[in-house]
Amino acid sequence: MNYISSSITFYGNCMKAIEFYKKVFINCKTEIIKYADVAEALNLGDTVKGKEDLIYQATLIINLGGCDTIFTMADSPSLLFLGQSATPNNVDNLTFVIAVDDSKYLESLYNALIDGGKSNILPRINNLGYLEGSLIDQFGVCWILRTL
């Protein structure tokens, strides 16, 4: 099933945000993946060097009175791909992830979104066998596109 999901992004302080939200929402479960955990699988090479502890993806499952709310968050991909430095204040704070089962459709979406923007990762096959690419569009919104 194709989908688009969103993720809150932080500028190098995602782990601090996770720790804060865990204190605020006592009934909170977390799943955390760092860039060091996925660098080889995603073919990131030296891009991750010195930034291994940045958060690639974190999921917070917050239970409020029997109802689970799921938040996905990460450190901004622009810290890796645009060479920007961490800052306590967010510059961008939203990433959209698009997952589709058709690689040609993924490439057409990438080509449409990149118009006026900047590439983070050109669409390529990662070590897990999925086509994946990332970009910042002309409005500063980060997009990660991958096949299912």
Side-chain angles (χ1 to χ4, degrees):
M1 175 175 62
N2 298 341
Y3 66 87
I4 298 176
S5 65
S6 58
S7 178
I8 304 167
T9 53
F10 297 86
Y11 237 59
N13 57 357
C14 185
M15 185 56 79
K16 287 183 181 179
I18 292 167
E19 291 167 1
F20 172 76
Y21 294 129
K22 283 174 67 174
K23 289 178 186 174
V24 172
F25 302 105
I26 298 166
N27 293 323
C28 179
K29 298 176 193 170
T30 59
E31 298 171 9
I32 299 169
I33 303 169
K34 295 182 178 184
Y35 274 98
D37 301 329
V38 296
E40 184 177 334
L42 298 181
N43 264 345
L44 296 176
D46 289 340
T47 307
V48 176
K49 192 173 184 176
K51 298 177 182 174
E52 295 88 346
D53 287 334
L54 291 176
I55 305 301
Y56 171 74
Q57 180 178 322
T59 304
L60 277 67
I61 303 168
I62 301 167
N63 186 285
L64 297 174
C67 178
D68 283 344
T69 301
I70 300 171
F71 290 95
T72 304
M73 54 184 59
D75 281 311
S76 175
S78 61
L79 290 170
L80 289 176
F81 304 110
L82 300 181
Q84 297 176 342
S85 300
T87 177
N89 299 316
N90 285 354
V91 175
D92 61 349
N93 64 350
L94 182 65
T95 297
F96 287 106
V97 177
I98 298 178
V100 297
D101 54 11
D102 181 337
S103 61
K104 288 184 181 182
Y105 183 50
L106 181 142
E107 289 176 353
S108 71
L109 288 171
Y110 186 94
N111 290 331
L113 287 166
I114 195 71
D115 184 29
K118 181 171 175 53
S119 177
N120 289 331
I121 301 174
L122 291 171
R124 63 178 179 181
I125 302 296
N126 64 29
N127 287 346
L128 300 175
Y130 299 105
L131 181 65
E132 184 171 61
S134 175
L135 62 96
I136 305 289
D137 73 16
Q138 63 182 309
F139 302 103
V141 176
C142 181
W143 295 85
I144 297 171
L145 297 90
R146 63 177 59 117
T147 55
L148 298 168

Short mmCIF file of all heavy atoms in Angstrom, two decimals, residues 3-64:
data_model
loop_
_atom_site.label_atom_id
_atom_site.label_comp_id
_atom_site.label_asym_id
_atom_site.label_seq_id
_atom_site.Cartn_x
_atom_site.Cartn_y
_atom_site.Cartn_z
N TYR A 3 1.85 5.15 0.61
CA TYR A 3 1.46 6.09 1.67
C TYR A 3 2.40 7.27 1.73
O TYR A 3 3.50 7.25 1.20
CB TYR A 3 1.42 5.39 3.03
CG TYR A 3 2.78 4.92 3.54
CD1 TYR A 3 3.60 5.78 4.27
CD2 TYR A 3 3.21 3.63 3.31
CE1 TYR A 3 4.84 5.35 4.74
CE2 TYR A 3 4.44 3.20 3.78
CZ TYR A 3 5.25 4.07 4.49
OH TYR A 3 6.47 3.65 4.94
N ILE A 4 1.93 8.32 2.38
CA ILE A 4 2.75 9.48 2.75
C ILE A 4 2.62 9.63 4.25
O ILE A 4 1.51 9.62 4.79
CB ILE A 4 2.27 10.78 2.07
CG1 ILE A 4 2.37 10.67 0.54
CG2 ILE A 4 3.09 11.97 2.57
CD1 ILE A 4 1.82 11.89 -0.19
N SER A 5 3.73 9.73 4.94
CA SER A 5 3.70 9.98 6.38
C SER A 5 4.53 11.22 6.67
O SER A 5 5.29 11.68 5.83
CB SER A 5 4.24 8.77 7.16
OG SER A 5 5.60 8.58 6.88
N SER A 6 4.37 11.77 7.85
CA SER A 6 5.12 12.98 8.21
C SER A 6 5.96 12.70 9.45
O SER A 6 5.67 11.80 10.23
CB SER A 6 4.17 14.15 8.47
OG SER A 6 3.26 13.82 9.49
N SER A 7 7.01 13.47 9.58
CA SER A 7 7.92 13.32 10.71
C SER A 7 8.34 14.70 11.18
O SER A 7 8.66 15.57 10.37
CB SER A 7 9.15 12.53 10.26
OG SER A 7 10.08 12.41 11.31
N ILE A 8 8.35 14.90 12.50
CA ILE A 8 8.86 16.15 13.07
C ILE A 8 10.38 16.04 13.05
O ILE A 8 10.94 15.03 13.46
CB ILE A 8 8.37 16.33 14.51
CG1 ILE A 8 6.85 16.29 14.58
CG2 ILE A 8 8.91 17.62 15.10
CD1 ILE A 8 6.31 16.14 15.99
N THR A 9 11.06 17.07 12.54
CA THR A 9 12.51 17.03 12.50
C THR A 9 13.11 18.07 13.43
O THR A 9 12.52 19.13 13.67
CB THR A 9 13.05 17.24 11.07
OG1 THR A 9 12.50 18.44 10.53
CG2 THR A 9 12.68 16.08 10.17
N PHE A 10 14.27 17.73 13.94
CA PHE A 10 14.98 18.59 14.88
C PHE A 10 16.38 18.84 14.34
O PHE A 10 16.90 18.06 13.54
CB PHE A 10 15.04 17.93 16.26
CG PHE A 10 13.70 17.74 16.87
CD1 PHE A 10 12.95 16.60 16.58
CD2 PHE A 10 13.16 18.69 17.70
CE1 PHE A 10 11.69 16.43 17.12
CE2 PHE A 10 11.89 18.53 18.25
CZ PHE A 10 11.16 17.40 17.96
N TYR A 11 16.99 19.91 14.77
CA TYR A 11 18.29 20.30 14.25
C TYR A 11 19.41 19.87 15.18
O TYR A 11 20.13 20.68 15.73
CB TYR A 11 18.30 21.81 14.00
CG TYR A 11 18.63 22.12 12.58
CD1 TYR A 11 17.82 21.65 11.56
CD2 TYR A 11 19.76 22.85 12.24
CE1 TYR A 11 18.12 21.91 10.26
CE2 TYR A 11 20.07 23.10 10.94
CZ TYR A 11 19.24 22.64 9.94
OH TYR A 11 19.55 22.88 8.63
N GLY A 12 19.52 18.54 15.32
CA GLY A 12 20.58 17.98 16.14
C GLY A 12 20.19 17.75 17.58
O GLY A 12 20.99 17.26 18.37
N ASN A 13 18.96 18.09 17.94
CA ASN A 13 18.54 17.92 19.33
C ASN A 13 17.33 17.00 19.47
O ASN A 13 16.56 17.11 20.41
CB ASN A 13 18.27 19.29 19.98
CG ASN A 13 17.23 20.10 19.23
OD1 ASN A 13 16.75 19.70 18.20
ND2 ASN A 13 16.92 21.27 19.75
N CYS A 14 17.20 16.05 18.55
CA CYS A 14 16.07 15.13 18.60
C CYS A 14 16.10 14.29 19.88
O CYS A 14 15.06 14.08 20.51
CB CYS A 14 16.07 14.23 17.37
SG CYS A 14 14.63 13.14 17.26
N MET A 15 17.27 13.81 20.28
CA MET A 15 17.34 12.98 21.49
C MET A 15 16.89 13.77 22.72
O MET A 15 16.18 13.24 23.58
CB MET A 15 18.76 12.43 21.68
CG MET A 15 18.86 11.46 22.86
SD MET A 15 17.72 10.04 22.77
CE MET A 15 18.57 9.00 21.62
N LYS A 16 17.26 15.04 22.80
CA LYS A 16 16.81 15.88 23.92
C LYS A 16 15.29 16.04 23.88
O LYS A 16 14.64 16.03 24.92
CB LYS A 16 17.49 17.25 23.88
CG LYS A 16 18.94 17.21 24.28
CD LYS A 16 19.53 18.61 24.29
CE LYS A 16 21.00 18.54 24.67
NZ LYS A 16 21.63 19.85 24.68
N ALA A 17 14.74 16.19 22.68
CA ALA A 17 13.29 16.30 22.55
C ALA A 17 12.61 15.02 23.00
O ALA A 17 11.59 15.06 23.71
CB ALA A 17 12.91 16.63 21.11
N ILE A 18 13.18 13.87 22.62
CA ILE A 18 12.62 12.59 23.03
C ILE A 18 12.61 12.49 24.56
O ILE A 18 11.60 12.11 25.17
CB ILE A 18 13.41 11.42 22.42
CG1 ILE A 18 13.20 11.39 20.90
CG2 ILE A 18 13.02 10.09 23.05
CD1 ILE A 18 14.18 10.48 20.17
N GLU A 19 13.72 12.82 25.18
CA GLU A 19 13.82 12.76 26.64
C GLU A 19 12.80 13.69 27.29
O GLU A 19 12.16 13.34 28.29
CB GLU A 19 15.24 13.10 27.08
CG GLU A 19 16.24 12.03 26.68
CD GLU A 19 17.70 12.47 26.81
OE1 GLU A 19 17.96 13.62 27.22
OE2 GLU A 19 18.58 11.66 26.48
N PHE A 20 12.61 14.86 26.72
CA PHE A 20 11.63 15.82 27.25
C PHE A 20 10.22 15.26 27.14
O PHE A 20 9.46 15.26 28.11
CB PHE A 20 11.73 17.14 26.49
CG PHE A 20 10.65 18.13 26.82
CD1 PHE A 20 10.69 18.85 28.01
CD2 PHE A 20 9.59 18.33 25.96
CE1 PHE A 20 9.69 19.75 28.33
CE2 PHE A 20 8.59 19.23 26.27
CZ PHE A 20 8.63 19.94 27.46
N TYR A 21 9.85 14.75 25.96
CA TYR A 21 8.49 14.25 25.76
C TYR A 21 8.22 13.01 26.62
O TYR A 21 7.10 12.80 27.07
CB TYR A 21 8.23 13.95 24.28
CG TYR A 21 8.23 15.20 23.44
CD1 TYR A 21 9.00 15.28 22.28
CD2 TYR A 21 7.49 16.32 23.80
CE1 TYR A 21 9.01 16.43 21.51
CE2 TYR A 21 7.51 17.48 23.04
CZ TYR A 21 8.27 17.53 21.89
OH TYR A 21 8.29 18.66 21.14
N LYS A 22 9.25 12.21 26.88
CA LYS A 22 9.07 11.05 27.75
C LYS A 22 8.76 11.48 29.19
O LYS A 22 8.03 10.79 29.90
CB LYS A 22 10.31 10.16 27.72
CG LYS A 22 10.40 9.32 26.46
CD LYS A 22 11.70 8.54 26.36
CE LYS A 22 11.80 7.49 27.42
NZ LYS A 22 12.99 6.63 27.25
N LYS A 23 9.28 12.62 29.62
CA LYS A 23 8.96 13.14 30.95
C LYS A 23 7.55 13.73 30.99
O LYS A 23 6.85 13.59 31.98
CB LYS A 23 9.97 14.23 31.36
CG LYS A 23 11.34 13.67 31.68
CD LYS A 23 12.30 14.80 32.02
CE LYS A 23 13.71 14.29 32.20
NZ LYS A 23 14.67 15.38 32.39
N VAL A 24 7.17 14.39 29.91
CA VAL A 24 5.85 15.01 29.84
C VAL A 24 4.76 13.94 29.77
O VAL A 24 3.76 14.00 30.48
CB VAL A 24 5.74 15.96 28.63
CG1 VAL A 24 4.31 16.45 28.44
CG2 VAL A 24 6.70 17.14 28.79
N PHE A 25 4.95 12.97 28.88
CA PHE A 25 3.97 11.92 28.66
C PHE A 25 4.49 10.64 29.32
O PHE A 25 5.24 9.88 28.72
CB PHE A 25 3.73 11.69 27.17
CG PHE A 25 3.26 12.92 26.46
CD1 PHE A 25 4.11 13.63 25.64
CD2 PHE A 25 1.96 13.37 26.61
CE1 PHE A 25 3.69 14.77 24.96
CE2 PHE A 25 1.52 14.51 25.95
CZ PHE A 25 2.39 15.21 25.12
N ILE A 26 4.07 10.40 30.54
CA ILE A 26 4.60 9.29 31.33
C ILE A 26 4.36 7.94 30.66
O ILE A 26 5.21 7.07 30.68
CB ILE A 26 4.00 9.33 32.76
CG1 ILE A 26 4.43 10.62 33.44
CG2 ILE A 26 4.44 8.12 33.56
CD1 ILE A 26 3.67 10.94 34.69
N ASN A 27 3.19 7.76 30.05
CA ASN A 27 2.88 6.51 29.37
C ASN A 27 3.36 6.58 27.93
O ASN A 27 2.59 6.64 26.98
CB ASN A 27 1.37 6.24 29.40
CG ASN A 27 0.88 5.98 30.80
OD1 ASN A 27 1.58 5.35 31.59
ND2 ASN A 27 -0.30 6.46 31.12
N CYS A 28 4.68 6.59 27.76
CA CYS A 28 5.28 6.77 26.44
C CYS A 28 6.29 5.66 26.17
O CYS A 28 7.17 5.40 26.99
CB CYS A 28 5.97 8.14 26.39
SG CYS A 28 6.79 8.51 24.84
N LYS A 29 6.15 5.01 25.03
CA LYS A 29 7.12 4.01 24.59
C LYS A 29 7.91 4.61 23.43
O LYS A 29 7.35 5.40 22.65
CB LYS A 29 6.41 2.74 24.10
CG LYS A 29 5.60 2.05 25.16
CD LYS A 29 4.87 0.87 24.54
CE LYS A 29 3.80 0.36 25.50
NZ LYS A 29 2.93 -0.62 24.85
N THR A 30 9.17 4.24 23.31
CA THR A 30 9.99 4.78 22.23
C THR A 30 10.72 3.68 21.48
O THR A 30 11.06 2.64 22.05
CB THR A 30 11.04 5.78 22.75
OG1 THR A 30 11.88 5.11 23.69
CG2 THR A 30 10.40 6.98 23.40
N GLU A 31 10.93 3.93 20.22
CA GLU A 31 11.80 3.11 19.36
C GLU A 31 12.73 4.09 18.67
O GLU A 31 12.27 5.02 18.01
CB GLU A 31 10.98 2.33 18.34
CG GLU A 31 10.00 1.35 18.96
CD GLU A 31 9.05 0.75 17.94
OE1 GLU A 31 9.24 0.95 16.73
OE2 GLU A 31 8.10 0.08 18.38
N ILE A 32 14.04 3.92 18.84
CA ILE A 32 15.00 4.89 18.34
C ILE A 32 16.02 4.21 17.43
O ILE A 32 16.61 3.19 17.81
CB ILE A 32 15.73 5.59 19.51
CG1 ILE A 32 14.71 6.33 20.39
CG2 ILE A 32 16.81 6.54 19.00
CD1 ILE A 32 15.26 6.83 21.70
N ILE A 33 16.23 4.78 16.25
CA ILE A 33 17.24 4.30 15.31
C ILE A 33 18.16 5.48 15.00
O ILE A 33 17.70 6.54 14.56
CB ILE A 33 16.60 3.78 14.00
CG1 ILE A 33 15.59 2.67 14.30
CG2 ILE A 33 17.67 3.31 13.03
CD1 ILE A 33 14.74 2.28 13.10
N LYS A 34 19.45 5.29 15.22
CA LYS A 34 20.43 6.33 14.92
C LYS A 34 20.99 6.13 13.51
O LYS A 34 20.93 5.03 12.96
CB LYS A 34 21.57 6.29 15.95
CG LYS A 34 21.10 6.64 17.34
CD LYS A 34 22.25 6.63 18.32
CE LYS A 34 21.75 7.03 19.70
NZ LYS A 34 22.84 7.13 20.66
N TYR A 35 21.56 7.22 12.95
CA TYR A 35 22.18 7.10 11.63
C TYR A 35 23.26 6.02 11.62
O TYR A 35 23.45 5.34 10.62
CB TYR A 35 22.74 8.44 11.15
CG TYR A 35 21.70 9.28 10.46
CD1 TYR A 35 21.02 10.28 11.14
CD2 TYR A 35 21.38 9.06 9.14
CE1 TYR A 35 20.06 11.05 10.51
CE2 TYR A 35 20.40 9.82 8.48
CZ TYR A 35 19.75 10.81 9.17
OH TYR A 35 18.80 11.56 8.55
N ALA A 36 23.99 5.85 12.71
CA ALA A 36 25.01 4.81 12.79
C ALA A 36 24.40 3.43 12.57
O ALA A 36 25.06 2.54 12.02
CB ALA A 36 25.72 4.86 14.15
N ASP A 37 23.16 3.25 12.97
CA ASP A 37 22.48 1.95 12.85
C ASP A 37 22.11 1.62 11.40
O ASP A 37 21.92 0.44 11.08
CB ASP A 37 21.21 1.92 13.70
CG ASP A 37 21.48 2.15 15.18
OD1 ASP A 37 22.57 1.77 15.66
OD2 ASP A 37 20.60 2.73 15.85
N VAL A 38 21.97 2.63 10.55
CA VAL A 38 21.49 2.40 9.19
C VAL A 38 22.46 2.86 8.11
O VAL A 38 22.18 2.71 6.93
CB VAL A 38 20.12 3.10 8.96
CG1 VAL A 38 19.05 2.50 9.86
CG2 VAL A 38 20.23 4.60 9.15
N ALA A 39 23.60 3.40 8.50
CA ALA A 39 24.55 3.99 7.54
C ALA A 39 24.96 2.99 6.45
O ALA A 39 24.95 3.32 5.26
CB ALA A 39 25.78 4.53 8.26
N GLU A 40 25.30 1.78 6.85
CA GLU A 40 25.73 0.78 5.87
C GLU A 40 24.57 0.34 4.98
O GLU A 40 24.69 0.29 3.76
CB GLU A 40 26.34 -0.43 6.57
CG GLU A 40 26.90 -1.44 5.59
CD GLU A 40 27.57 -2.62 6.29
OE1 GLU A 40 28.04 -2.47 7.43
OE2 GLU A 40 27.61 -3.68 5.67
N ALA A 41 23.43 0.05 5.58
CA ALA A 41 22.27 -0.42 4.82
C ALA A 41 21.80 0.62 3.80
O ALA A 41 21.34 0.27 2.72
CB ALA A 41 21.13 -0.80 5.75
N LEU A 42 21.93 1.91 4.15
CA LEU A 42 21.46 2.97 3.26
C LEU A 42 22.56 3.53 2.37
O LEU A 42 22.35 4.51 1.67
CB LEU A 42 20.84 4.10 4.09
CG LEU A 42 19.62 3.72 4.91
CD1 LEU A 42 19.09 4.93 5.66
CD2 LEU A 42 18.52 3.13 4.03
N ASN A 43 23.75 2.91 2.40
CA ASN A 43 24.87 3.35 1.57
C ASN A 43 25.24 4.81 1.81
O ASN A 43 25.51 5.56 0.89
CB ASN A 43 24.53 3.20 0.08
CG ASN A 43 25.04 1.93 -0.51
OD1 ASN A 43 25.88 1.26 0.08
ND2 ASN A 43 24.53 1.58 -1.67
N LEU A 44 25.27 5.24 3.05
CA LEU A 44 25.56 6.64 3.35
C LEU A 44 27.05 6.97 3.39
O LEU A 44 27.42 8.13 3.34
CB LEU A 44 24.90 7.04 4.68
CG LEU A 44 23.38 6.99 4.69
CD1 LEU A 44 22.85 7.31 6.07
CD2 LEU A 44 22.80 7.93 3.64
N GLY A 45 27.89 5.96 3.47
CA GLY A 45 29.33 6.16 3.42
C GLY A 45 29.83 7.17 4.44
O GLY A 45 29.40 7.18 5.60
N ASP A 46 30.73 8.05 4.00
CA ASP A 46 31.34 9.04 4.90
C ASP A 46 30.39 10.17 5.29
O ASP A 46 30.73 10.99 6.14
CB ASP A 46 32.58 9.64 4.25
CG ASP A 46 33.73 8.64 4.19
OD1 ASP A 46 33.70 7.66 4.96
OD2 ASP A 46 34.64 8.85 3.37
N THR A 47 29.21 10.22 4.69
CA THR A 47 28.25 11.28 5.01
C THR A 47 27.92 11.29 6.49
O THR A 47 27.67 12.34 7.06
CB THR A 47 26.94 11.07 4.20
OG1 THR A 47 27.28 10.95 2.83
CG2 THR A 47 25.99 12.22 4.39
N VAL A 48 27.95 10.13 7.11
CA VAL A 48 27.55 10.00 8.52
C VAL A 48 28.72 10.24 9.48
O VAL A 48 28.51 10.48 10.66
CB VAL A 48 26.95 8.59 8.76
CG1 VAL A 48 26.61 8.36 10.21
CG2 VAL A 48 25.71 8.40 7.91
N LYS A 49 29.95 10.22 8.96
CA LYS A 49 31.13 10.34 9.81
C LYS A 49 31.03 11.57 10.72
O LYS A 49 30.81 12.68 10.28
CB LYS A 49 32.39 10.43 8.95
CG LYS A 49 33.66 10.28 9.74
CD LYS A 49 34.86 10.20 8.82
CE LYS A 49 36.11 9.95 9.65
NZ LYS A 49 37.28 9.77 8.79
N GLY A 50 31.16 11.32 12.02
CA GLY A 50 31.07 12.38 13.03
C GLY A 50 29.64 12.72 13.43
O GLY A 50 29.43 13.55 14.31
N LYS A 51 28.67 12.11 12.77
CA LYS A 51 27.27 12.41 13.05
C LYS A 51 26.48 11.13 13.32
O LYS A 51 25.27 11.08 13.17
CB LYS A 51 26.66 13.18 11.89
CG LYS A 51 27.36 14.51 11.66
CD LYS A 51 26.81 15.25 10.47
CE LYS A 51 27.59 16.54 10.30
NZ LYS A 51 27.24 17.26 9.12
N GLU A 52 27.18 10.09 13.77
CA GLU A 52 26.59 8.78 13.97
C GLU A 52 25.47 8.77 15.01
O GLU A 52 24.56 7.95 14.95
CB GLU A 52 27.66 7.76 14.39
CG GLU A 52 28.70 7.49 13.32
CD GLU A 52 29.90 8.44 13.36
OE1 GLU A 52 29.85 9.49 14.05
OE2 GLU A 52 30.89 8.14 12.69
N ASP A 53 25.53 9.69 15.97
CA ASP A 53 24.52 9.71 17.04
C ASP A 53 23.27 10.50 16.69
O ASP A 53 22.32 10.53 17.48
CB ASP A 53 25.13 10.26 18.34
CG ASP A 53 26.08 9.26 18.99
OD1 ASP A 53 25.90 8.04 18.76
OD2 ASP A 53 26.98 9.69 19.72
N LEU A 54 23.24 11.14 15.52
CA LEU A 54 22.01 11.81 15.11
C LEU A 54 20.91 10.77 14.94
O LEU A 54 21.17 9.62 14.57
CB LEU A 54 22.21 12.58 13.81
CG LEU A 54 23.11 13.80 13.88
CD1 LEU A 54 23.29 14.41 12.49
CD2 LEU A 54 22.55 14.85 14.84
N ILE A 55 19.69 11.17 15.19
CA ILE A 55 18.56 10.26 15.12
C ILE A 55 18.04 10.17 13.69
O ILE A 55 17.63 11.16 13.10
CB ILE A 55 17.42 10.70 16.07
CG1 ILE A 55 17.93 10.87 17.50
CG2 ILE A 55 16.24 9.73 16.00
CD1 ILE A 55 18.54 9.63 18.11
N TYR A 56 18.06 8.95 13.13
CA TYR A 56 17.52 8.68 11.80
C TYR A 56 16.00 8.62 11.87
O TYR A 56 15.31 9.22 11.04
CB TYR A 56 18.09 7.37 11.28
CG TYR A 56 17.45 6.89 10.00
CD1 TYR A 56 17.74 7.50 8.78
CD2 TYR A 56 16.58 5.80 10.00
CE1 TYR A 56 17.16 7.06 7.61
CE2 TYR A 56 16.00 5.35 8.83
CZ TYR A 56 16.29 5.98 7.63
OH TYR A 56 15.71 5.55 6.47
N GLN A 57 15.49 7.91 12.87
CA GLN A 57 14.04 7.82 13.06
C GLN A 57 13.75 7.40 14.49
O GLN A 57 14.36 6.48 15.01
CB GLN A 57 13.43 6.82 12.11
CG GLN A 57 11.92 6.69 12.27
CD GLN A 57 11.34 5.72 11.25
OE1 GLN A 57 11.77 5.68 10.11
NE2 GLN A 57 10.38 4.94 11.68
N ALA A 58 12.83 8.09 15.09
CA ALA A 58 12.35 7.72 16.42
C ALA A 58 10.84 7.71 16.38
O ALA A 58 10.21 8.56 15.77
CB ALA A 58 12.85 8.70 17.48
N THR A 59 10.27 6.72 17.03
CA THR A 59 8.82 6.62 17.14
C THR A 59 8.45 6.73 18.61
O THR A 59 9.01 6.01 19.43
CB THR A 59 8.31 5.29 16.56
OG1 THR A 59 8.76 5.17 15.20
CG2 THR A 59 6.80 5.20 16.61
N LEU A 60 7.55 7.64 18.91
CA LEU A 60 7.02 7.77 20.26
C LEU A 60 5.57 7.34 20.22
O LEU A 60 4.79 7.84 19.40
CB LEU A 60 7.08 9.22 20.76
CG LEU A 60 8.40 9.69 21.35
CD1 LEU A 60 9.47 9.75 20.30
CD2 LEU A 60 8.21 11.02 22.01
N ILE A 61 5.23 6.39 21.06
CA ILE A 61 3.85 5.94 21.17
C ILE A 61 3.35 6.41 22.53
O ILE A 61 3.82 5.94 23.57
CB ILE A 61 3.74 4.41 21.04
CG1 ILE A 61 4.37 3.97 19.72
CG2 ILE A 61 2.29 3.96 21.16
CD1 ILE A 61 4.57 2.48 19.60
N ILE A 62 2.46 7.38 22.50
CA ILE A 62 1.97 8.02 23.72
C ILE A 62 0.55 7.55 23.97
O ILE A 62 -0.31 7.67 23.11
CB ILE A 62 2.01 9.56 23.58
CG1 ILE A 62 3.46 10.01 23.31
CG2 ILE A 62 1.44 10.23 24.81
CD1 ILE A 62 3.57 11.44 22.86
N ASN A 63 0.33 7.00 25.17
CA ASN A 63 -1.01 6.54 25.53
C ASN A 63 -1.68 7.59 26.40
O ASN A 63 -1.20 7.92 27.47
CB ASN A 63 -0.94 5.20 26.27
CG ASN A 63 -2.32 4.65 26.51
OD1 ASN A 63 -3.03 5.13 27.38
ND2 ASN A 63 -2.69 3.66 25.74
N LEU A 64 -2.78 8.11 25.90
CA LEU A 64 -3.58 9.09 26.64
C LEU A 64 -4.95 8.49 26.90
O LEU A 64 -5.79 8.46 26.01
CB LEU A 64 -3.72 10.41 25.87
CG LEU A 64 -2.44 11.18 25.60
CD1 LEU A 64 -2.72 12.36 24.69
CD2 LEU A 64 -1.83 11.66 26.90
#
